[in-house]
Amino acid sequence: MKNIIITSLTIGLLAFVSACKKDEGNLPAISFKTGGSYLSHDDSVATGSAILIGINAEKTEDKDVLKKFNLSKSVNGGTDNTIYSKDLSGGEGNNYSFDYKDTLKGASGDKTKYTFTVTNRDGLVNNVSLTVKIKK
Amino acid sequence: MIKSWIYLFSFSSIYLFGQTNDWLYHDTLANVIITSYKEEPLQETSLNITPIQIDSLNKLGNFTLTDLLTKVPGVNALSTGLGIVKPVIRGLYGNRVLVLLSGLKFDNQQWQEEHGLGLSDIGLSKVELIKGPVGILYGSEAMGGIINLIEEQKPQEKEGQGDASLKLNSNTMGGTLQTGYKVNYGKKWFRIRVGLDNHADYSDGDNHRVLNSRFDGYYLKGTLGFQRKNWISTNNLMSSFNRFGFIFNDIYSFVSPDARWNRALNINPTHLVLLNILSSENKISLRNGSKLNINLGVQSNQRMENEGGGAISLNMHLLTLQYMLKWEHQLSVRNRLVVSHYSSYEDNTNFGARKIVPDATMQESNVSLYLESHLIHEKLILENGAGVGQKWIKTYFTASVNGPSNLIKPFSKFAPYYNVYTGLSIIPSPYFNFKLNVATGVRIANLAELSSNGLHEGVFTYEIGSPLLKNEQNICLNLLGTYSKKHFEAQISPFYNQYYNYVYLAPTTEEWFGFPVYRYRQQNAQQYGSELSLIFKHIKRTQITVNYAGMVSKAANGEHLPFTPAQKLSPSLQYKILHDSQKELSIQTSTDIIAAQNQIAPHEIATPSYWLLNIGGSYMVHHKHKTYTLSVMCNNLLNKAYYDHLSRFKYFGILNIGRNISVMLSMKFKQVLKQSH
């Protein structure tokens, strides 16, 4: 009888464990603004040109609000340096809109990569990036 | 599935525990202890062991098991509120303190500071607390000490025992309810115990409510024991489900106050732990007079966390299979040999969206030899031992932790280790006992230290581990001097602990998408200090106790280590107003005087001094085969507002608990079974 009880409990335990499914989660949403003068994909521009990049970020779960927004930049594959970082609060936790203007400087062929990252309260991270090359 | 567990436990929430009427059991020389290499009188081992009878501590108004242990000098609690607490022995905690449950290692994924021990005192009869490392017997992690949790024992033969108790706490408008029954038929015995905890948010000394500090827990324990000729077997089942409201730095920006005594734990950030343990302890007497102990068990630990998203985000399951063999043989009249072997297999799997450590399997084995020599019979005992072991860790691809774009990739790590122990116990007279031991401990860096690569929830730091971390090793010198006579007892226990490759989390100048980056580093460290106890007892029904503990904890670069306990002085007085065979009435008062702690790690917050006054009383009456006890305890009588140095809430400006009045009612009964003819 005792063996039956112990065996049943063990089987029940293992069944419980094996019944769990992996949850890969819902990352916060982030995308480039399109249309108008917004740059939303890799491109080449002349040195000294002004560019405008727009970002829309949005929470994807009811309470899992956006926590932080970050913009980093790297030139020619170098280190990513944060050039803008913002703790999001209030309504920004639900959705956040951001426009970034830059004037490209540098030598012909230089590549500048912009990475826009949003993090939610659960620590889940999503990002988008684009690379702008200086025309010859 | 989880809901059905909760309902099951809720409907069977009755609970028991036994009572004796001593306030805090303290008899240094007369105990037989079992945590050592073999069962033996306390003074005959050179280990510094404190046996604590759980029954005697139930009246102290504690909220958790760890809360109880802090009554022992040199033991503190690292807390994230009232429910999430982990024991600290001489400044060490988490994976540097080994917890034994039913003779086997207990792992509650304690690698993170906000993961509490998660165990209740429900169903325990005793705790044996060892200060100092005992690596040779238990392998890795027994560096700072061991906390051996011993389940309640079988009743006398042909006897049944039952009890029920209710404890209420004024501060949290909550408490503990438990009941149990155990019976011994002679060749076999069994017990069952169920219980529950339920607490609303606590109030601090300024009478401010600490929103979302609530917690609850549901417990089931069962034992089946039997004896067959030379084989004694004790088989335990333990199931628990705990929920802890969780508080972090910006929680009050999105959590709104609900009704003052609301206990809901499904809306705001919560940690949930589902624990199931099956274990078997077996003692076999062999024909040549030697003894064989075989302990084996399986643990299932599921940790789930809702960090505020309204759904479970972190969901980890740790499955542990382990066994321990111990063979004890008397070589000669004066010499005894113990050979032990421990082995475990662990599997950690992530089921949630948020992952902080990767999926991994871990295997550990340890073998040790120990020789006890009575150089002078029962007066001078020399103990020597050595052990070798290994831990193997393999991590697997886990999205967002160790994928192709991450800094740390899946890895395998093989970490061999060794430990030694030498100790001497001197008993020059029945009143004196001197102990000296030099022992090593070892720890293989845990999964977080080896492989974490992500944001630490709540505090939002980006933490990066390293698979290249070396074994953390310590060597500790422990001294213990005890003098005990009828009316006076004194004990002093200084220690020096040298650490090699101490693992710690260090801030860097790096940042990750705007978050500060911390990396796990290693350097040597030293700890030293002492505990002191003076007890004046049996003087006109009065006992006066004074305990002191103080220590220093520094890294090789001169910086202090975090969460070093402040100096603590605890005088207490107990007086038995009435004491006869039928009734006992006693009162107690104690004061905890805590010094300011300014010896702090970089980025740590210093805490000012404070003192707390506690007062209580107890009335017990025996009637036929029943014992009724009513006790009242008021902790922090003056409602002081204070920060405990080991409270993680200090970083959020949240004070510790204010005045709490705890009332406990218990009933215990015995029944003699009819003899079968």
Side-chain angles (χ1 to χ4, degrees):
Chain A
M1 182 62 188
K2 178 183 67 182
N3 292 337
I4 293 171
I5 294 170
I6 291 175
T7 307
S8 305
L9 287 168
T10 308
I11 292 170
L13 176 69
L14 295 175
F16 169 74
V17 169
S18 59
C20 295
K21 287 183 179 176
K22 293 201 172 190
D23 172 12
E24 295 308 328
N26 295 320
L27 302 180
I30 183 167
S31 59
F32 289 114
K33 291 178 184 174
T34 55
S37 55
Y38 286 115
L39 187 64
S40 58
H41 49 77
D42 293 353
D43 205 350
S44 297
V45 297
T47 187
S49 300
I51 58 167
L52 174 65
I53 305 173
I55 290 293
N56 284 319
E58 195 174 6
K59 68 177 184 180
T60 52
E61 292 184 30
D62 185 30
K63 286 191 174 180
D64 215 351
V65 299
L66 307 178
K67 182 75 186 158
K68 197 171 195 96
F69 176 78
N70 182 268
L71 164 59
S72 63
K73 185 162 109 172
S74 79
V75 179
N76 296 329
T79 311
D80 257 325
N81 292 310
T82 294
I83 54 174
Y84 180 75
S85 185
K86 182 171 172 54
D87 291 319
L88 306 179
S89 59
E92 294 171 336
N94 298 325
N95 50 63
Y96 180 64
S97 173
F98 175 75
D99 284 352
Y100 177 68
K101 289 179 184 173
D102 197 12
T103 303
L104 282 176
K105 292 174 184 170
S108 164
D110 281 355
K111 291 179 179 175
T112 303
K113 183 180 179 186
Y114 299 90
T115 302
F116 302 84
T117 306
V118 65
T119 307
N120 70 11
R121 183 180 288 129
D122 269 350
L124 296 177
V125 175
N126 201 358
N127 58 41
V128 289
S129 60
L130 59 78
T131 301
V132 184
K133 185 178 175 182
I134 296 181
K135 283 181 182 172
K136 291 181 180 176
Chain B
M1 183 66 187
I2 293 170
K3 280 185 179 173
S4 14
W5 278 78
I6 298 168
Y7 294 142
L8 171 68
F9 289 137
S10 298
F11 285 118
S12 54
S13 54
I14 333 163
Y15 149 61
L16 89 151
F17 62 14
Q19 289 298 309
T20 59
N21 205 38
D22 51 337
W23 280 99
L24 173 56
Y25 188 89
H26 201 294
D27 194 351
T28 317
L29 298 182
N31 285 279
V32 171
I33 50 90
I34 64 174
T35 314
S36 180
Y37 308 93
K38 60 185 187 60
E39 294 185 21
E40 59 189 345
L42 181 56
Q43 68 269 36
E44 288 187 21
T45 174
S46 57
L47 288 167
N48 181 348
I49 302 184
T50 307
I52 306 157
Q53 303 294 332
I54 291 293
D55 280 359
S56 68
L57 290 164
N58 284 328
K59 301 163 197 157
L60 295 181
N62 64 295
F63 285 90
T64 61
L65 171 66
T66 304
D67 224 6
L68 287 179
L69 301 179
T70 61
K71 305 302 175 190
V72 177
V75 181
N76 299 81
L78 180 69
S79 66
T80 309
L82 289 178
I84 303 177
V85 288
K86 53 173 65 187
V88 180
I89 300 179
R90 290 173 169 172
L92 298 173
Y93 55 88
N95 289 120
R96 294 184 178 103
V97 168
L98 181 64
V99 176
L100 296 175
L101 187 61
S102 301
L104 293 167
K105 284 186 181 182
F106 172 67
D107 193 335
N108 195 12
Q109 303 184 107
Q110 293 168 77
W111 38 264
Q112 204 162 60
E113 286 170 355
E114 63 263 36
H115 294 177
L117 179 63
L119 290 175
S120 164
D121 58 326
I122 290 175
L124 299 179
S125 65
K126 184 181 176 186
V127 175
E128 289 183 356
L129 195 144
I130 298 184
K131 294 172 188 167
V134 197
I136 70 160
L137 191 56
Y138 295 104
S140 65
E141 300 191 0
M143 302 187 88
I146 291 180
I147 297 167
N148 187 9
L149 309 175
I150 299 163
E151 296 289 337
E152 57 191 320
Q153 304 296 298
K154 62 183 176 186
Q156 299 290 319
E157 200 166 304
K158 302 295 179 188
E159 186 180 286
Q161 291 179 4
D163 55 67
S165 73
L166 171 67
K167 180 157 64 177
L168 298 170
N169 294 286
S170 64
N171 192 296
T172 59
M173 281 293 181
T176 302
L177 178 68
Q178 63 167 316
T179 190
Y181 180 75
K182 58 184 178 181
V183 61
N184 184 353
Y185 295 107
K187 294 289 184 188
K188 57 186 176 184
W189 76 283
F190 80 88
R191 73 154 178 165
I192 186 164
R193 184 172 290 275
V194 290
L196 67 86
D197 285 324
N198 191 299
H199 296 274
D201 298 336
Y202 79 80
S203 295
D204 66 19
D206 287 336
N207 299 317
H208 292 146
R209 173 188 183 185
V210 178
L211 186 59
N212 206 40
S213 60
R214 64 198 73 174
F215 63 101
D216 63 18
Y218 305 85
Y219 310 94
L220 168 69
K221 284 187 172 182
T223 301
L224 284 166
F226 61 85
Q227 185 169 355
R228 302 264 167 79
K229 293 181 181 174
N230 59 340
W231 175 26
I232 299 171
S233 182
T234 307
N235 304 283
N236 288 306
L237 160 73
M238 179 192 144
S239 288
S240 65
F241 178 64
N242 292 87
R243 298 185 298 173
F244 306 100
F246 188 61
I247 294 172
F248 43 87
N249 53 3
D250 72 337
I251 184 171
Y252 297 135
S253 66
F254 67 95
V255 168
S256 306
D258 48 9
R260 175 61 186 94
W261 304 114
N262 196 320
R263 289 142 207 278
L265 280 157
N266 56 353
I267 299 168
N268 294 323
T270 314
H271 287 190
L272 306 93
V273 181
L274 176 64
L275 185 63
N276 289 285
I277 300 176
L278 279 173
S279 65
S280 180
E281 296 176 79
N282 300 277
K283 297 177 181 179
I284 301 167
S285 299
L286 304 177
R287 286 183 180 174
N288 59 2
S290 59
K291 295 175 188 170
L292 180 64
N293 285 10
I294 305 173
N295 292 354
L296 48 119
V298 54
Q299 295 178 11
S300 165
N301 180 316
Q302 186 163 25
R303 171 172 290 275
M304 296 162 280
E305 297 181 1
N306 159 19
E307 310 294 354
I312 298 298
S313 55
L314 182 142
N315 185 350
M316 288 186 299
H317 180 255
L318 181 67
L319 181 68
T320 306
L321 306 170
Q322 56 181 324
Y323 67 84
M324 183 162 198
L325 307 176
K326 219 164 30 166
W327 178 68
E328 186 183 325
H329 183 64
Q330 193 77 36
L331 296 173
S332 65
V333 176
R334 294 184 185 277
N335 295 295
R336 182 179 289 264
L337 175 72
V338 179
V339 181
S340 77
H341 167 58
Y342 167 80
S343 190
S344 69
Y345 173 83
E346 292 180 289
D347 178 272
N348 185 67
T349 306
N350 286 281
F351 293 96
R354 194 169 68 78
K355 303 168 183 73
I356 42 183
V357 295
D359 293 350
T361 52
M362 292 154 282
Q363 188 277 327
E364 182 177 356
S365 291
N366 177 63
V367 62
S368 70
L369 290 172
Y370 158 84
L371 181 68
E372 179 192 82
S373 305
H374 280 247
L375 302 179
I376 302 173
H377 185 59
E378 293 184 354
K379 285 188 179 298
L380 183 59
I381 298 111
L382 175 67
E383 297 173 292
N384 286 297
V388 293
Q390 59 79 30
K391 188 163 185 176
W392 176 77
I393 300 169
K394 181 173 176 56
T395 64
Y396 301 98
F397 165 73
T398 309
S400 80
V401 178
N402 60 7
S405 61
N406 293 103
L407 188 67
I408 297 174
K409 306 291 186 287
F411 65 89
S412 287
K413 184 181 180 75
F414 178 76
Y417 61 79
Y418 64 89
N419 282 296
V420 293
Y421 181 89
T422 185
L424 198 62
S425 180
I426 307 164
I427 312 163
S429 81
Y431 310 122
F432 285 101
N433 183 201
F434 300 104
K435 296 182 179 188
L436 161 71
N437 72 62
V438 178
T440 66
V442 71
R443 187 174 73 86
I444 289 77
N446 60 41
L447 274 183
E449 293 160 342
L450 292 170
S451 56
S452 63
N453 187 16
L455 276 176
H456 188 150
E457 78 284 4
V459 292
F460 288 104
T461 54
Y462 194 86
E463 296 174 356
I464 301 175
S466 168
L468 301 177
L469 290 177
K470 297 173 184 171
N471 286 359
E472 191 179 86
Q473 183 102 43
N474 70 330
I475 180 165
C476 186
L477 169 67
N478 281 292
L479 295 162
L480 180 72
T482 304
Y483 172 76
S484 181
K485 290 200 79 171
K486 186 181 177 186
H487 294 297
F488 177 66
E489 184 174 319
Q491 190 173 78
I492 184 165
S493 51
F495 67 95
Y496 181 84
N497 196 356
Q498 173 67 43
Y499 257 91
Y500 300 97
N501 301 314
Y502 184 92
V503 180
Y504 65 103
L505 194 57
T508 70
T509 55
E510 305 164 67
E511 66 169 34
W512 181 85
F513 296 120
F515 296 99
V517 171
Y518 282 62
R519 287 180 183 269
Y520 284 99
R521 311 269 195 213
Q522 290 185 292
Q523 65 172 316
N524 296 344
Q526 298 85 37
Q527 298 178 309
Y528 51 90
S530 184
E531 297 95 33
L532 175 71
S533 288
L534 301 173
I535 303 169
F536 303 88
K537 54 187 179 179
H538 309 309
I539 304 168
K540 293 183 180 175
R541 295 180 180 173
T542 303
Q543 176 167 312
I544 298 169
T545 306
V546 180
N547 289 325
Y548 166 81
M551 66 172 293
V552 173
S553 191
K554 288 176 100 169
N557 64 3
E559 292 174 347
H560 291 280
L561 299 179
F563 294 119
T564 300
Q567 292 184 79
K568 181 179 178 183
L569 181 70
S570 305
S572 65
L573 183 144
Q574 299 142 34
Y575 178 64
K576 286 183 180 174
I577 299 168
L578 178 64
H579 182 57
D580 60 35
S581 60
Q582 296 296 312
K583 297 184 285 292
E584 186 173 305
L585 176 62
S586 55
I587 57 167
Q588 170 184 298
T589 179
S590 67
T591 308
D592 296 321
I593 304 164
I594 317 292
Q597 182 55 291
N598 297 309
Q599 298 182 351
I600 52 172
H603 306 291
E604 195 184 11
I605 297 173
T607 46
S609 62
Y610 62 92
W611 65 280
L612 306 175
L613 178 63
N614 315 306
I615 190 164
S618 171
Y619 180 67
M620 182 178 70
V621 59
H622 300 283
H623 179 67
K624 295 183 179 176
H625 291 294
K626 296 187 178 72
T627 303
Y628 301 91
T629 306
L630 168 67
S631 60
V632 179
M633 186 75 204
C634 179
N635 287 318
N636 193 3
L637 178 70
L638 303 178
N639 204 25
K640 290 276 177 98
Y642 70 100
Y643 293 104
D644 183 88
H645 189 70
L646 271 63
S647 167
R648 296 180 65 254
F649 280 0
K650 67 182 181 180
Y651 293 110
F652 316 138
I654 297 174
L655 294 161
N656 284 73
I657 188 170
R659 182 187 300 115
N660 178 50
I661 300 171
S662 174
V663 178
M664 195 193 73
L665 283 162
S666 75
M667 186 276 288
K668 183 179 178 182
F669 69 88
K670 280 183 186 176
Q671 61 178 158
V672 178
L673 303 183
K674 289 179 182 172
Q675 298 288 332
S676 55
H677 298 287

